[in-house]
Amino acid sequence: MELKNKEINSLVEHIQLNKSGWLQEGLKCIIKQIYGKRGNPALSIEEIKEIFKRYDEISVRTHEIEKVYNTLISSNILIKVEKYKYKLSENSYNKFMEENETFELIEKETKKFFIIILEKVLHNNINKDKLWNDFIELLVQPLISKMGAKSFEIITGSSKEIEYDDNNNDYFKKHYGIDQELHQVIADFLTNKNSFVRKYLLNLLKTYYFIEATRLPASDLNKIYELSKVQSKLKIFIDTNFLLSLFDLHDNPSNEAAKSLTNLLDEIKNKISVKFYVLLITIKEFQNLIENYKDYLRKKPLSLSNARILIDRDEISGIPKKYYQKCIEIDKLIDVDDYFDPYINNLIVISRNNNIELQNEKLDKYQQTNNMSVNDDIIAQVEYRINKYKKAKNGKIDKNELEQIKENIARRFKHDCILWHAINDKRPQYIDSIKDIKNWILTLDFHFLSYDRYKTNSLQKKISLCLHPNDLISLLYFWVPRSEKFEKAVLENFRLPFSFKDFDKKAEQVSVAILSALSYYENADLDKKTITELLTNQALRNKIKTDSSIEENAKIIKDEIFERYKLKQTELEEKNSENQEIKKELNKIKNKMSILEKKDLYQEIKKGKESISEKITDKSKYLTKLINLKDKAEEEYEIESKKFINIFKNKIKLEKEILNRYPSFDEIDDIGEEIKNLENRLDSLQFNIGTTTVFFCENRNAKCFNNLGFENIRFLGEKDSRGVFIKVATNSNYFGIRDRDFLTDDEILRLKQKLPDYIILEYYCFENYLYHPDNIESLKIEGFNKEKYVDEIKKQMKEQRDSIVLKLKNSRKSYQEFITDENGIIPDKNGEKIIIKYLDSDNIENNLKAYSLKEFNKSFLEKFNLSPLQLTKTKWFINRIKKLIDT
């Protein structure tokens, strides 16, 4: 058959262009042009989308723009210049400017050639610039649009069969006196071998390809709809997470997709009717979820000021984040019952107001224990996800923890499994055409989507049951026609990007593919309706397959996470760099400050010295008194024991009688030790305040730190880590260093960002540096075996693991750093699990983050006669502590 229907030609072109990725490539070029034409400013993705919106419907599929934008970032065509803002790399910008100049030259030379062709038919005094613009806009562009990919054969010289469009002949005859000669002028222009003309025409064709790849024109789309016999009434069963997006109850990237979808449904209602439904099991799951979050927010409330801080730092997410966003909007904490109860008590009413109907049907047969289809799937999915979890944990999971995880997975997945089987049973047994399908499931859950893909493959079904909102948008978006305004915007504003050299080969490949497909249908023994049905089915299936398959969505998420990670890393690097500069400046100021400027610190230390001196004096007097009394008691005992009356007495009893007349002498050793500690502390305060940096540390570590002999640094002991934190948090002149205890890497990092002068040891405690295998090895002691020593540490750690885990939770509750004032941080919600992971690691470096060598039985080391003082003098130890302080 001879195919002469423009709508079928358009459909073939649309399918082939989308299959080749022409839309994405075109968007890349447009984004590059947005930057290049504006002098390469720093722009965010939101600003890019705003620019697209100026050109009408080009902005409808914002997720496509976001995907392309992220691709340009990952390929380093766009580079970050400030928070959330990017610009073209220097190389990309220079390339754009070069190609811009090249295109201007091509257009100039093509216009010159055109004037030469028209010299024989032109009247005098004709505005040649206007004639050139009219010729391109009224004749050449419409002709390329009419002929489509067949224009490629004309431009490359493989065909001369031009399908003229004479609609504008009268205009040219009236304004320019060109009539009979017009066809010849067009033919000479299109088929000429001039290289500039060819490149210019190919650019027009490539621009047309981009327009055709976006959407079909209204006239063609209406005819396709009439012929395709597409299912015009869709029933979409929605999952719990999409309900949250529709109700705007959680902070989720898919919220925008939910809004776009509802807008799109209104736009296509004359062609496709879409109705949302929810099953009773989904209602119950949704209400349970809301109840859980209501309890969570009631038990762990935040003040409005803390909520503002934490939301900006992405430390709150999902449903709680949306709740606090609403509170911030009205500048008042909303009662959680007032906020959530409508969704628990009146969910059906709210659903109907959002055009969602309850499908109130019984699902008992899917919930029975003898339903092998559902139960087998649940068992298989639990096993599959547990294996993934084990792999991530290197197989090290506590049995009780494993059973709890299995139970949670089974409970969560049961809803998805029942929903899938219930809706699958509503579909015909065999389907090969997407346009015939009525029932779908809409979900944001990628586990659910992966399960659907698995079931589709295992049951050898051709079409999935579950859709992501972006899938449904892509599917329905096919029925939205492009407008003349859109075409005009592209032709007038975005012609240039398609002149880039890397498009030439691709243009040839896609043109050949289109012509081959057209040739097939022209020669196929099929009627027009059948061809339209086949092509529509292919187009719709491609919308799901290529626009947002599970693999592609997984990659998008990975890219987004990686991009967020890179962003956070960059922000952290910038913050650390800034902190380093501030710290250097602060040290300069400290070294220049006079004693008077540091009078508060001076007075405090002076007062401390006086207090300690008084204590030493008092304790020494009391100790002297006790010693004198003890001497007196011993003298009395000697005298009494020699008296005749006492010769036959029990000596122990006699001694006891005498000692009862004196105070207890048991205190003598304790008071002596106490005086010694006070003298050490007093000694640590003997320094020149004007030139010395003060580090507060935990009291027992001060002497060891001071033994290191760091120039112009003194360590003052505080009772505990709480005292160190308060010193640093309340006075910017102070530095602090404390044991790590049960803190995670992320918590330490966030504390460092808050308080750059607050240093936390890399290991659980100070002793972990002293008795670190590398530190002892650095002494080169004969007979010391590092590997055996590490094995002994791990052995004892495993024996003590249970008691450490029991201690862990209570210890973390007591940390001053976790009080949520301006200097505190929110602890990691998985903090305890992370600490346990340190303990269970095969790496000794991770072990020492959570295990204290104070608790280590050091009998293994006794034969080496190691003293703490000796261990603080090693190069390894000094360098590790110096590195900490220098940061």
Side-chain angles (χ1 to χ4, degrees), residues 3 5-18 208 212 216-217 220-221 223-225 227-228 478-479 482 514 517-518 521 528-540 542-543:
L3 193 67
N5 300 104
K6 182 177 179 297
E7 62 273 13
I8 294 179
N9 287 27
S10 294
L11 193 48
V12 169
E13 287 178 345
H14 181 80
I15 291 168
Q16 293 298 325
L17 288 164
N18 276 278
Y208 162 76
E212 198 72 3
L216 296 168
D220 293 347
L221 199 59
K223 291 178 182 177
I224 290 167
Y225 180 78
L227 293 167
S228 64
F478 176 79
W479 299 109
R482 68 174 187 254
I514 291 169
L518 288 173
Y521 286 110
K528 184 177 177 181
K529 282 188 176 181
T530 303
I531 291 173
T532 307
E533 281 193 66
L534 290 172
L535 289 172
T536 304
N537 183 45
Q538 186 180 349
L540 294 174
N542 284 345
K543 292 300 175 187

Side-chain angles (χ1 to χ4, degrees), residues 28-54:
K28 282 182 189 177
C29 289
I30 290 177
I31 291 172
K32 283 189 265 187
Q33 190 201 38
I34 287 172
Y35 280 100
K37 284 288 190 179
R38 287 166 173 76
N40 203 21
L43 298 171
S44 67
I45 180 60
E46 296 305 321
E47 288 171 311
I48 292 290
K49 288 193 282 190
E50 282 301 315
I51 292 169
F52 270 101
K53 284 180 183 178
R54 297 174 197 170

Side-chain angles (χ1 to χ4, degrees), residues 660-674:
N660 282 339
R661 297 198 287 267
Y662 292 89
S664 173
F665 299 131
D666 293 341
E667 292 181 88
I668 289 176
D669 290 339
D670 292 339
I671 293 171
E673 185 65 29
E674 194 174 345

Side-chain angles (χ1 to χ4, degrees), residues 504-656:
D504 290 343
K505 188 174 182 181
K506 195 159 190 174
E508 181 179 355
Q509 291 171 340
V510 75
S511 298
V512 170
I514 291 169
L515 292 169
S516 175
L518 288 173
S519 175
Y520 168 77
Y521 286 110
E522 284 175 359
N523 295 291
D525 189 18
L526 298 169
D527 60 36
K528 184 177 177 181
K529 282 188 176 181
T530 303
I531 291 173
T532 307
E533 281 193 66
L534 290 172
L535 289 172
T536 304
N537 183 45
Q538 186 180 349
L540 294 174
R541 288 185 68 167
N542 284 345
K543 292 300 175 187
I544 295 178
K545 183 178 178 182
T546 60
D547 279 8
S548 50
S549 64
I550 301 304
E551 291 84 1
E552 187 171 314
N553 273 317
K555 185 178 183 305
I556 292 168
I557 289 174
K558 180 182 175 184
D559 288 344
E560 286 176 354
I561 292 171
F562 183 63
E563 180 56 32
R564 189 177 297 177
Y565 167 77
K566 287 198 299 184
L567 180 63
K568 292 294 181 186
Q569 282 293 99
T570 305
E571 287 175 4
L572 179 60
E573 287 166 10
E574 290 171 354
K575 189 73 176 174
N576 284 341
S577 175
E578 181 185 337
N579 288 339
Q580 287 296 327
E581 292 302 315
I582 293 170
K583 191 171 179 180
K584 285 177 185 176
E585 192 63 30
L586 184 60
N587 282 332
K588 286 179 186 177
I589 293 169
K590 284 180 178 179
N591 290 331
K592 291 177 183 177
M593 283 174 72
S594 66
I595 293 176
L596 184 60
E597 288 172 316
K598 286 190 142 188
K599 62 182 180 182
D600 290 341
L601 177 60
Y602 178 80
Q603 291 300 328
E604 183 177 335
I605 292 171
K606 184 180 177 183
K607 188 177 177 181
K609 285 165 61 179
E610 291 170 353
S611 174
I612 292 169
S613 295
E614 285 177 15
K615 285 181 182 177
I616 291 172
T617 301
D618 292 343
K619 295 285 182 184
S620 296
K621 285 179 180 178
Y622 184 50
L623 182 61
T624 302
K625 182 181 176 182
L626 280 178
I627 292 171
N628 290 336
L629 287 172
K630 187 178 180 184
D631 289 342
K632 187 177 179 182
E634 288 174 354
E635 185 181 340
E636 185 178 343
Y637 174 77
E638 286 295 323
I639 294 170
E640 290 293 324
S641 63
K642 290 177 183 178
K643 289 181 179 180
F644 180 80
I645 195 172
N646 294 324
I647 289 175
F648 303 104
K649 269 192 176 182
N650 184 301
K651 302 300 180 187
I652 295 174
K653 189 176 180 182
L654 176 63
E655 184 180 19
K656 190 173 181 182

